[in-house]
Amino acid sequence: MGHPSRKHLPLSPLRSCPSLNPPTLPGFTSWGCQARPPHSLLGQGQMEAPAVANGKAEGSGAANGMSGASRGAEPQGAGPEEDQRENLQAPSQPADAWVAPDGAFAKQILQPGAGLDKPTLGALCQVFLEAPPGAPLGYPANRWAQLELGEGDGAWDGLVDACLETMGPGERAELRGPDGAVLGLHLASFTPAPEPWQLDPAEKWALALRHKERGSERYRAGEVGAAARRYARALQLAIAAGPVPLDPEHARLRADLHANLAACQLRLTQPAHAARNCTKALALWPQHAKARYRRGLARAAMNDLEGAAEDFRGVLVAEPGNTAARRELDRVGQRARERDARLARAMSKLFS
Protein backbone atom coordinates (compact mmCIF):
# COMPACT_ATOMS: atom_id res chain seq x y z
CA MET A 1 0.00 0.00 0.00
CA GLY A 2 1.52 3.27 -1.03
CA HIS A 3 4.29 1.87 -3.31
CA PRO A 4 5.10 4.44 -6.02
CA SER A 5 4.72 1.89 -8.81
CA ARG A 6 1.38 0.56 -7.64
CA LYS A 7 -1.60 1.32 -9.89
CA HIS A 8 -5.11 1.72 -8.49
CA LEU A 9 -8.35 1.84 -10.36
CA PRO A 10 -10.27 5.12 -10.02
CA LEU A 11 -12.71 5.10 -7.13
CA SER A 12 -16.14 6.66 -7.19
CA PRO A 13 -17.52 8.67 -4.25
CA LEU A 14 -18.79 6.57 -1.38
CA ARG A 15 -22.17 8.22 -1.26
CA SER A 16 -23.03 7.20 -4.79
CA CYS A 17 -22.93 3.59 -3.59
CA PRO A 18 -21.30 2.12 -6.75
CA SER A 19 -18.96 0.06 -4.62
CA LEU A 20 -21.77 -2.35 -3.87
CA ASN A 21 -21.30 -3.70 -7.42
CA PRO A 22 -17.59 -3.23 -8.17
CA PRO A 23 -16.26 -4.27 -11.58
CA THR A 24 -14.63 -7.67 -11.75
CA LEU A 25 -11.33 -7.84 -13.61
CA PRO A 26 -10.31 -10.89 -15.66
CA GLY A 27 -9.02 -13.61 -13.37
CA PHE A 28 -9.84 -11.60 -10.26
CA THR A 29 -12.73 -11.37 -7.86
CA SER A 30 -14.37 -8.05 -6.99
CA TRP A 31 -12.00 -8.01 -4.02
CA GLY A 32 -8.92 -7.53 -6.17
CA CYS A 33 -7.75 -11.00 -5.21
CA GLN A 34 -7.21 -13.83 -7.62
CA ALA A 35 -10.32 -15.95 -8.16
CA ARG A 36 -10.36 -19.01 -5.92
CA PRO A 37 -11.97 -22.44 -6.19
CA PRO A 38 -14.60 -23.48 -3.62
CA HIS A 39 -11.95 -25.04 -1.40
CA SER A 40 -10.05 -21.72 -1.20
CA LEU A 41 -8.19 -20.77 1.95
CA LEU A 42 -9.38 -17.16 1.76
CA GLY A 43 -11.39 -17.62 4.95
CA GLN A 44 -8.13 -18.45 6.73
CA GLY A 45 -6.60 -15.15 5.70
CA GLN A 46 -4.28 -16.55 3.00
CA MET A 47 -3.79 -14.65 -0.23
CA GLU A 48 -2.60 -16.28 -3.45
CA ALA A 49 0.03 -14.79 -5.74
CA PRO A 50 -1.13 -13.53 -9.15
CA ALA A 51 -1.03 -16.10 -11.92
CA VAL A 52 1.85 -15.76 -14.33
CA ALA A 53 2.68 -17.32 -17.65
CA ASN A 54 4.26 -20.77 -17.85
CA GLY A 55 3.97 -21.16 -14.05
CA LYS A 56 7.01 -18.90 -13.40
CA ALA A 57 7.00 -16.27 -10.71
CA GLU A 58 7.30 -12.68 -11.84
CA GLY A 59 10.08 -10.42 -10.67
CA SER A 60 9.83 -7.42 -8.44
CA GLY A 61 7.39 -5.75 -10.83
CA ALA A 62 4.73 -8.38 -10.07
CA ALA A 63 5.38 -8.21 -6.37
CA ASN A 64 4.76 -4.46 -6.50
CA GLY A 65 1.51 -4.82 -8.44
CA MET A 66 2.98 -3.63 -11.80
CA SER A 67 1.07 -4.52 -14.93
CA GLY A 68 2.70 -5.45 -18.21
CA ALA A 69 2.17 -1.93 -19.52
CA SER A 70 4.07 -0.35 -16.61
CA ARG A 71 7.15 -2.45 -17.45
CA GLY A 72 7.31 -1.15 -21.01
CA ALA A 73 6.09 -2.42 -24.36
CA GLU A 74 7.06 -5.78 -25.84
CA PRO A 75 10.00 -5.66 -28.29
CA GLN A 76 9.15 -5.41 -31.94
CA GLY A 77 8.59 -8.69 -33.66
CA ALA A 78 7.33 -10.52 -30.59
CA GLY A 79 5.70 -13.76 -31.67
CA PRO A 80 2.34 -15.31 -30.74
CA GLU A 81 3.84 -16.96 -27.67
CA GLU A 82 4.97 -13.60 -26.27
CA ASP A 83 1.58 -12.06 -27.05
CA GLN A 84 -0.15 -14.91 -25.22
CA ARG A 85 2.09 -14.42 -22.18
CA GLU A 86 1.25 -10.73 -22.12
CA ASN A 87 -2.48 -11.52 -22.20
CA LEU A 88 -2.08 -13.88 -19.26
CA GLN A 89 -0.55 -11.23 -17.03
CA ALA A 90 -2.84 -10.60 -14.04
CA PRO A 91 -3.93 -6.98 -13.52
CA SER A 92 -2.90 -4.96 -10.52
CA GLN A 93 -5.00 -5.16 -7.38
CA PRO A 94 -7.39 -2.18 -7.31
CA ALA A 95 -7.14 -1.91 -3.52
CA ASP A 96 -5.90 -3.74 -0.47
CA ALA A 97 -7.87 -6.78 0.63
CA TRP A 98 -7.93 -7.71 4.31
CA VAL A 99 -9.45 -10.87 5.79
CA ALA A 100 -10.41 -11.19 9.46
CA PRO A 101 -8.30 -13.79 11.29
CA ASP A 102 -11.41 -15.82 12.10
CA GLY A 103 -12.69 -15.58 8.51
CA ALA A 104 -15.90 -13.85 9.65
CA PHE A 105 -15.57 -11.10 7.04
CA ALA A 106 -13.28 -9.56 4.47
CA LYS A 107 -12.86 -5.94 3.54
CA GLN A 108 -11.39 -4.11 0.57
CA ILE A 109 -9.67 -0.93 1.69
CA LEU A 110 -10.64 1.78 -0.78
CA GLN A 111 -8.97 4.60 1.16
CA PRO A 112 -6.64 3.99 4.10
CA GLY A 113 -7.25 5.65 7.43
CA ALA A 114 -4.92 7.90 9.37
CA GLY A 115 -3.02 6.91 12.49
CA LEU A 116 -3.04 3.72 14.50
CA ASP A 117 -6.01 4.32 16.80
CA LYS A 118 -9.17 2.30 16.13
CA PRO A 119 -12.61 2.38 17.76
CA THR A 120 -13.61 -0.18 20.35
CA LEU A 121 -16.98 -1.16 21.81
CA GLY A 122 -18.74 1.89 23.15
CA ALA A 123 -16.94 4.38 20.88
CA LEU A 124 -19.05 7.07 19.21
CA CYS A 125 -18.40 6.81 15.46
CA GLN A 126 -19.27 9.21 12.67
CA VAL A 127 -20.08 6.75 9.88
CA PHE A 128 -21.59 6.63 6.42
CA LEU A 129 -22.93 3.11 6.00
CA GLU A 130 -23.98 2.04 2.50
CA ALA A 131 -26.43 -0.86 2.36
CA PRO A 132 -28.90 -2.33 -0.12
CA PRO A 133 -32.61 -1.78 0.53
CA GLY A 134 -34.07 -4.03 3.20
CA ALA A 135 -30.71 -4.90 4.76
CA PRO A 136 -31.18 -6.30 8.31
CA LEU A 137 -29.43 -3.42 10.06
CA GLY A 138 -30.25 -1.63 13.28
CA TYR A 139 -27.76 1.09 12.45
CA PRO A 140 -28.89 3.94 10.15
CA ALA A 141 -27.86 3.39 6.53
CA ASN A 142 -27.19 5.48 3.41
CA ARG A 143 -26.62 8.69 5.35
CA TRP A 144 -24.11 10.13 7.78
CA ALA A 145 -24.92 9.16 11.35
CA GLN A 146 -23.34 8.84 14.76
CA LEU A 147 -23.51 5.33 16.14
CA GLU A 148 -22.26 3.79 19.36
CA LEU A 149 -20.20 0.75 18.54
CA GLY A 150 -21.85 -2.39 19.94
CA GLU A 151 -25.32 -0.87 20.30
CA GLY A 152 -26.81 -2.26 17.10
CA ASP A 153 -29.07 -5.30 17.33
CA GLY A 154 -29.66 -6.02 13.63
CA ALA A 155 -28.49 -9.25 12.03
CA TRP A 156 -25.66 -7.44 10.20
CA ASP A 157 -24.75 -5.00 12.98
CA GLY A 158 -22.22 -7.36 14.55
CA LEU A 159 -20.48 -7.56 11.16
CA VAL A 160 -20.37 -3.76 10.96
CA ASP A 161 -19.00 -3.56 14.52
CA ALA A 162 -16.24 -6.06 13.76
CA CYS A 163 -15.19 -4.18 10.62
CA LEU A 164 -15.23 -0.75 12.28
CA GLU A 165 -12.94 -2.08 15.00
CA THR A 166 -10.30 -2.61 12.28
CA MET A 167 -10.64 0.86 10.69
CA GLY A 168 -8.82 4.12 11.29
CA PRO A 169 -10.26 7.65 10.97
CA GLY A 170 -10.86 8.57 7.34
CA GLU A 171 -10.85 4.97 6.10
CA ARG A 172 -13.25 3.86 3.39
CA ALA A 173 -13.83 0.16 2.85
CA GLU A 174 -16.12 -2.32 1.19
CA LEU A 175 -17.20 -5.07 3.56
CA ARG A 176 -18.24 -8.57 2.57
CA GLY A 177 -19.59 -11.13 5.02
CA PRO A 178 -19.68 -14.92 4.78
CA ASP A 179 -23.27 -14.89 3.49
CA GLY A 180 -22.38 -12.62 0.55
CA ALA A 181 -23.52 -9.39 2.21
CA VAL A 182 -21.78 -6.36 0.67
CA LEU A 183 -21.71 -3.05 2.55
CA GLY A 184 -19.80 0.21 2.16
CA LEU A 185 -18.29 1.88 5.23
CA HIS A 186 -16.70 5.30 5.65
CA LEU A 187 -15.43 6.09 9.14
CA ALA A 188 -14.94 9.86 9.33
CA SER A 189 -13.94 10.06 13.00
CA PHE A 190 -14.69 8.57 16.40
CA THR A 191 -14.66 9.46 20.07
CA PRO A 192 -12.98 6.67 22.05
CA ALA A 193 -14.97 4.82 24.67
CA PRO A 194 -13.65 4.81 28.24
CA GLU A 195 -11.30 1.91 28.85
CA PRO A 196 -12.61 -0.70 31.32
CA TRP A 197 -9.95 0.26 33.85
CA GLN A 198 -11.28 3.84 33.75
CA LEU A 199 -14.71 2.74 35.02
CA ASP A 200 -15.32 1.98 38.66
CA PRO A 201 -16.93 -1.39 39.54
CA ALA A 202 -20.38 0.12 40.06
CA GLU A 203 -20.35 1.60 36.54
CA LYS A 204 -19.27 -1.72 35.05
CA TRP A 205 -22.03 -3.62 36.81
CA ALA A 206 -24.59 -1.00 35.73
CA LEU A 207 -23.49 -1.39 32.10
CA ALA A 208 -23.56 -5.17 32.43
CA LEU A 209 -27.14 -5.05 33.71
CA ARG A 210 -28.15 -2.79 30.82
CA HIS A 211 -26.71 -5.21 28.27
CA LYS A 212 -28.36 -8.14 30.06
CA GLU A 213 -31.77 -6.46 29.85
CA ARG A 214 -31.29 -5.59 26.19
CA GLY A 215 -30.21 -9.16 25.53
CA SER A 216 -33.35 -10.55 27.14
CA GLU A 217 -35.48 -8.20 25.01
CA ARG A 218 -33.77 -9.43 21.85
CA TYR A 219 -34.11 -13.09 22.90
CA ARG A 220 -37.85 -12.73 23.50
CA ALA A 221 -38.14 -11.08 20.09
CA GLY A 222 -36.48 -14.11 18.49
CA GLU A 223 -33.25 -12.27 17.63
CA VAL A 224 -30.95 -14.88 19.11
CA GLY A 225 -27.71 -13.65 17.55
CA ALA A 226 -28.27 -10.12 18.83
CA ALA A 227 -29.14 -11.47 22.27
CA ALA A 228 -25.94 -13.52 22.35
CA ARG A 229 -23.85 -10.44 21.55
CA ARG A 230 -25.52 -8.54 24.40
CA TYR A 231 -24.96 -11.32 26.93
CA ALA A 232 -21.33 -11.69 25.84
CA ARG A 233 -20.74 -7.96 26.27
CA ALA A 234 -22.41 -8.03 29.69
CA LEU A 235 -20.15 -10.92 30.72
CA GLN A 236 -17.03 -9.01 29.67
CA LEU A 237 -18.05 -6.11 31.88
CA ALA A 238 -19.09 -8.33 34.79
CA ILE A 239 -15.79 -10.22 34.75
CA ALA A 240 -13.85 -6.94 34.65
CA ALA A 241 -15.96 -5.49 37.47
CA GLY A 242 -15.09 -8.09 40.11
CA PRO A 243 -14.85 -8.17 43.07
CA VAL A 244 -12.72 -11.25 43.76
CA PRO A 245 -14.03 -13.32 45.41
CA LEU A 246 -17.55 -12.51 44.24
CA ASP A 247 -20.27 -11.78 46.73
CA PRO A 248 -23.46 -13.89 46.35
CA GLU A 249 -25.38 -11.21 44.45
CA HIS A 250 -22.73 -10.72 41.79
CA ALA A 251 -22.00 -14.45 41.58
CA ARG A 252 -25.66 -15.11 40.79
CA LEU A 253 -25.74 -12.36 38.17
CA ARG A 254 -22.67 -13.75 36.40
CA ALA A 255 -24.13 -17.25 36.57
CA ASP A 256 -27.34 -15.96 34.96
CA LEU A 257 -25.33 -14.34 32.16
CA HIS A 258 -23.47 -17.58 31.43
CA ALA A 259 -26.75 -19.53 31.45
CA ASN A 260 -28.48 -17.00 29.19
CA LEU A 261 -25.60 -17.05 26.72
CA ALA A 262 -25.79 -20.86 26.75
CA ALA A 263 -29.48 -20.68 25.85
CA CYS A 264 -28.58 -18.61 22.78
CA GLN A 265 -25.76 -20.97 21.83
CA LEU A 266 -28.09 -23.95 21.99
CA ARG A 267 -30.43 -22.28 19.51
CA LEU A 268 -27.45 -21.35 17.34
CA THR A 269 -26.41 -25.05 17.27
CA GLN A 270 -23.25 -24.47 19.32
CA PRO A 271 -23.66 -27.17 22.00
CA ALA A 272 -19.99 -27.32 23.00
CA HIS A 273 -19.94 -23.58 23.78
CA ALA A 274 -23.26 -23.89 25.56
CA ALA A 275 -22.00 -26.75 27.75
CA ARG A 276 -18.92 -24.75 28.75
CA ASN A 277 -20.97 -21.71 29.72
CA CYS A 278 -23.35 -23.86 31.77
CA THR A 279 -20.40 -25.40 33.60
CA LYS A 280 -19.13 -21.90 34.42
CA ALA A 281 -22.58 -20.91 35.65
CA LEU A 282 -22.74 -23.97 37.92
CA ALA A 283 -19.27 -23.23 39.29
CA LEU A 284 -20.54 -19.81 40.35
CA TRP A 285 -23.99 -20.98 41.49
CA PRO A 286 -24.25 -24.79 41.92
CA GLN A 287 -28.02 -24.74 42.44
CA HIS A 288 -28.69 -23.02 39.08
CA ALA A 289 -31.32 -25.43 37.70
CA LYS A 290 -31.60 -23.75 34.29
CA ALA A 291 -27.87 -24.01 33.73
CA ARG A 292 -27.91 -27.71 34.65
CA TYR A 293 -30.89 -28.38 32.40
CA ARG A 294 -29.28 -26.55 29.46
CA ARG A 295 -26.04 -28.41 29.97
CA GLY A 296 -28.05 -31.61 29.76
CA LEU A 297 -29.48 -30.47 26.42
CA ALA A 298 -26.01 -29.57 25.17
CA ARG A 299 -24.56 -32.92 26.22
CA ALA A 300 -27.43 -34.77 24.57
CA ALA A 301 -26.78 -32.82 21.35
CA MET A 302 -23.15 -34.00 21.50
CA ASN A 303 -24.25 -37.63 22.15
CA ASP A 304 -22.93 -37.59 25.71
CA LEU A 305 -26.04 -39.44 26.84
CA GLU A 306 -24.76 -40.48 30.25
CA GLY A 307 -23.69 -36.91 31.06
CA ALA A 308 -27.02 -35.58 29.87
CA ALA A 309 -28.95 -38.08 32.00
CA GLU A 310 -26.87 -37.10 35.04
CA ASP A 311 -27.77 -33.43 34.52
CA PHE A 312 -31.47 -34.10 34.05
CA ARG A 313 -31.53 -36.27 37.19
CA GLY A 314 -29.81 -33.42 39.05
CA VAL A 315 -32.56 -31.04 37.96
CA LEU A 316 -35.23 -33.47 39.13
CA VAL A 317 -33.58 -33.80 42.55
CA ALA A 318 -33.87 -30.04 43.01
CA GLU A 319 -37.22 -29.70 41.22
CA PRO A 320 -39.16 -33.01 41.27
CA GLY A 321 -42.03 -31.50 39.33
CA ASN A 322 -39.92 -30.29 36.39
CA THR A 323 -41.73 -31.93 33.48
CA ALA A 324 -39.22 -30.73 30.84
CA ALA A 325 -36.33 -32.42 32.67
CA ARG A 326 -38.40 -35.61 33.08
CA ARG A 327 -39.24 -35.65 29.37
CA GLU A 328 -35.59 -35.12 28.32
CA LEU A 329 -34.41 -37.81 30.76
CA ASP A 330 -36.80 -40.29 29.15
CA ARG A 331 -35.55 -39.31 25.69
CA VAL A 332 -31.87 -39.78 26.47
CA GLY A 333 -32.69 -43.06 28.21
CA GLN A 334 -34.42 -44.32 25.07
CA ARG A 335 -31.51 -43.18 22.90
CA ALA A 336 -29.04 -44.96 25.18
CA ARG A 337 -31.02 -48.21 24.98
CA GLU A 338 -31.17 -48.00 21.18
CA ARG A 339 -27.44 -47.32 21.02
CA ASP A 340 -26.66 -50.28 23.25
CA ALA A 341 -28.89 -52.55 21.17
CA ARG A 342 -27.10 -51.52 17.96
CA LEU A 343 -23.75 -52.17 19.61
CA ALA A 344 -24.87 -55.58 20.81
CA ARG A 345 -26.01 -56.58 17.31
CA ALA A 346 -22.73 -55.40 15.82
CA MET A 347 -20.73 -57.36 18.39
CA SER A 348 -22.78 -60.51 17.85
CA LYS A 349 -21.98 -60.43 14.13
CA LEU A 350 -18.27 -60.42 14.93
CA PHE A 351 -18.51 -63.74 16.73
CA SER A 352 -21.26 -65.46 14.70
Side-chain angles (χ1 to χ4, degrees), residues 104 129 134-139 151-162 175 177-179 181 183 218 222-227 229 268:
L129 170 60
L137 288 163
Y139 291 139
E151 285 297 302
D153 290 321
W156 289 1
D157 289 347
L159 189 67
V160 173
D161 290 340
L175 165 66
D179 59 353
L183 303 171
R218 301 275 66 79
E223 300 170 11
V224 181
R229 290 195 297 272
L268 294 170

Side-chain angles (χ1 to χ4, degrees), residues 137-189:
L137 288 163
Y139 291 139
N142 300 313
R143 64 181 176 87
W144 283 103
Q146 176 176 282
L147 59 88
E148 183 176 344
L149 202 60
E151 285 297 302
D153 290 321
W156 289 1
D157 289 347
L159 189 67
V160 173
D161 290 340
C163 186
L164 285 172
E165 288 183 291
T166 70
M167 298 174 67
E171 182 173 330
R172 291 172 54 210
E174 186 179 79
L175 165 66
R176 187 182 297 272
D179 59 353
V182 181
L183 303 171
L185 279 173
H186 185 181
L187 174 63
S189 62

Side-chain angles (χ1 to χ4, degrees), residues 341-352:
R342 287 194 301 270
L343 180 60
R345 288 193 297 270
M347 293 298 292
S348 66
K349 291 180 181 178
L350 292 176
F351 301 100
S352 60

Side-chain angles (χ1 to χ4, degrees), residues 72-219:
E74 289 292 329
Q76 292 292 330
E81 188 174 341
E82 285 77 5
D83 292 341
Q84 188 177 26
R85 273 202 301 272
E86 181 65 23
N87 291 335
L88 287 173
Q89 294 293 338
S92 304
Q93 292 191 11
D96 291 313
W98 187 91
V99 182
D102 61 359
F105 70 92
K107 70 172 181 177
Q108 180 183 357
I109 301 173
L110 306 177
Q111 174 182 303
L116 300 177
D117 292 336
K118 294 175 173 57
T120 57
L121 288 174
L124 298 177
C125 302
Q126 299 294 332
V127 175
F128 193 100
L129 170 60
E130 300 179 32
L137 288 163
Y139 291 139
N142 300 313
R143 64 181 176 87
W144 283 103
Q146 176 176 282
L147 59 88
E148 183 176 344
L149 202 60
E151 285 297 302
D153 290 321
W156 289 1
D157 289 347
L159 189 67
V160 173
D161 290 340
C163 186
L164 285 172
E165 288 183 291
T166 70
M167 298 174 67
E171 182 173 330
R172 291 172 54 210
E174 186 179 79
L175 165 66
R176 187 182 297 272
D179 59 353
V182 181
L183 303 171
L185 279 173
H186 185 181
L187 174 63
S189 62
F190 69 91
T191 303
E195 297 292 338
W197 57 267
Q198 294 176 304
L199 301 174
D200 61 44
E203 290 175 313
K204 293 173 187 174
W205 280 112
L207 279 173
L209 281 171
R210 191 185 78 177
H211 283 289
K212 179 178 181 289
E213 292 167 359
R214 291 284 296 276
S216 298
E217 291 172 3
R218 301 275 66 79
Y219 188 86

Side-chain angles (χ1 to χ4, degrees), residues 19-64:
S19 60
L20 296 180
N21 294 287
T24 301
L25 301 176
F28 277 63
T29 66
S30 62
W31 288 94
C33 310
Q34 200 171 6
R36 292 168 171 76
H39 60 275
S40 163
L41 295 177
L42 175 62
Q44 301 178 22
Q46 300 188 18
M47 306 295 294
E48 298 174 6
V52 294
N54 299 330
K56 297 180 181 179
E58 290 185 349
S60 60
N64 292 329

